Amino acid sequence: MSITVRAPAKVNLVLGVGPVREDGYHPLDTVYQAISLYDDVTVSNAGAWSVTVRPVGAVDCSEVPLDEDNIAIRAGRMLTEHHGIDRRAAIAISKGIPVAGGMAGGSADAAATLVALDRLWDLQTTDEDLLAIAARLGSDVPFALIGGTAHGTGHGELVEPVVDNGTWWWVVVPNAEGLSTAVVYGAFDEAEDIQRGSGTEAIRAALESGDLDACADALANDLQAVALDLRSDLRSTQAALEDAGAVATLLSGSGPTFLGLVADQDEAHRVREQLLEGGVPGVLVATGPVAGTHVVDYV
Ligand code: ATP
């Protein structure tokens, strides 16, 4: 028997980052939105842990580890430890979420693996325990479980759904060269005179109203200035999105993926075409909010 579970990418509509804490984490005040780029994770019983990855479309999977460093295997092991059982699985990832792009693809795989193995082995893990295991795996993993639109606090792992009355359309511009999350946070810690601790009140009101311009005005990412300083080539991506008519642009998480917010689906495809014609490769279209981690197939 095998089970396939789908998990979405995330964008941070607002990413407010406070000064680094003594435990090394940064306090976050963020609003996550799950968008329609997905990884599908298929699990089946096996004598040893293994992971394989296959790209969807043009996603570059060359940096995804195929050993115990893969977060999907770490998730599987953590679930077996939680239940005190000795079982293993083969994990096959079909990857539609750009790798190392600030869209939490690894976190999606971890969340999908937890749900898939819970079903495969009929473990009946409670939602509370799943969220706790997810939080130990990574700051973005609990949100990948719940999806939709949510307020994230702590270091991102404490998630509460928020009202979102819009259907938002995004033009997503991945970058061939990854940008390390640790490097971006390091530069953020050393930077002077930058915005820290952006609040989420304005974006939450905008989401409730469903108004595009209010949402566009409220988008904010405290990491964007340092990421643009580290990678000045991203400025041309941002400018290309603006020139093509995006209502607002935003760095996704710690980057390097850039997002353009647009009015509707037709506009999203028009902007995508314009960017592709202008020589920007790999441009994707996505909508949000979408569901969190869910089962799509039992075979
Ligand atoms: P983060 O912000 O969590 O660092 P990200 O969203 O920018 O991550 P991911 O695609 O999650 O990017 O991958 C970050 C790194 O994690 C990759 O460069 C890779 O080395 C490692 N990794 C481990 N497991 C996975 C996985 N299942 N999928 C993708 N990357 C993985």
Side-chain angles (χ1 to χ4, degrees):
M1 179 162 122
S2 72
I3 295 181
T4 300
V5 170
R6 176 164 292 176
K10 62 84 184 167
V11 298
N12 300 85
L13 304 177
V14 168
L15 182 55
V17 184
V20 65
R21 303 189 314 213
E22 273 188 6
D23 63 4
Y25 283 109
H26 292 79
L28 299 188
D29 189 10
T30 187
V31 171
Y32 295 104
Q33 186 177 85
I35 66 166
S36 61
L37 300 176
Y38 302 102
D39 282 2
D40 283 352
V41 173
T42 302
V43 296
S44 48
N45 284 309
W49 290 105
S50 67
V51 65
T52 55
V53 182
R54 145 181 111 71
V56 175
V59 173
D60 176 2
C61 294
S62 57
E63 298 298 316
V64 178
L66 298 178
D67 57 14
E68 300 275 329
D69 285 342
N70 194 297
I71 192 170
I73 295 188
R74 287 201 277 126
R77 283 194 181 281
M78 214 179 267
L79 190 69
T80 59
E81 280 158 22
H82 174 79
H83 289 282
I85 56 173
D86 182 20
R87 305 194 71 159
R88 285 139 221 202
I91 302 168
I93 300 170
S94 173
K95 190 162 269 300
I97 305 175
V99 176
M103 305 197 83
S107 301
D109 297 345
T113 302
L114 290 177
V115 171
L117 292 178
D118 179 68
R119 293 295 179 90
L120 183 72
W121 296 330
D122 194 21
L123 298 173
Q124 311 271 347
T125 317
T126 64
D127 287 354
E128 198 185 357
D129 285 351
L130 271 184
L131 284 166
I133 297 166
R136 284 169 53 212
L137 284 160
S139 303
D140 295 334
V141 185
F143 175 70
L145 285 174
I146 71 166
T149 307
H151 186 204
T153 53
H155 46 86
E157 84 286 15
L158 304 172
V159 284
E160 283 288 332
V162 297
V163 176
D164 185 348
N165 286 315
T167 300
W168 311 102
W169 285 91
W170 300 96
V171 178
V172 179
V173 188
N175 195 287
E177 202 186 322
L179 182 55
S180 154
T181 303
V183 168
V184 175
Y185 273 98
F188 177 83
D189 291 339
E190 284 174 16
E192 291 168 9
D193 298 330
I194 54 163
Q195 172 69 43
R196 278 174 219 275
S198 287
T200 56
E201 298 76 16
I203 190 70
R204 292 165 71 180
L207 291 167
E208 195 160 350
S209 74
D211 181 71
L212 178 71
D213 292 327
C215 188
D217 285 346
L219 299 177
N221 181 347
D222 288 355
L223 298 178
Q224 184 164 313
V226 289
L228 286 172
D229 281 348
L230 286 167
R231 287 280 301 277
S232 56
D233 59 302
L234 297 178
R235 290 182 198 278
S236 59
T237 306
Q238 184 180 25
L241 278 165
E242 284 165 359
D243 291 348
V247 181
T249 60
L250 181 72
L251 183 78
S252 181
S254 57
T257 304
F258 240 97
L259 305 161
L261 179 65
V262 295
D264 54 32
Q265 184 173 13
D266 287 347
E267 182 68 354
H269 286 287
R270 189 196 61 72
V271 170
R272 173 176 180 269
E273 284 303 317
Q274 187 167 328
L275 288 176
L276 290 172
E277 279 164 20
V280 181
V283 185
L284 303 165
V285 163
T287 189
V290 297
T293 303
H294 58 284
V295 176
V296 288
D297 215 2
Y298 283 83
V299 180

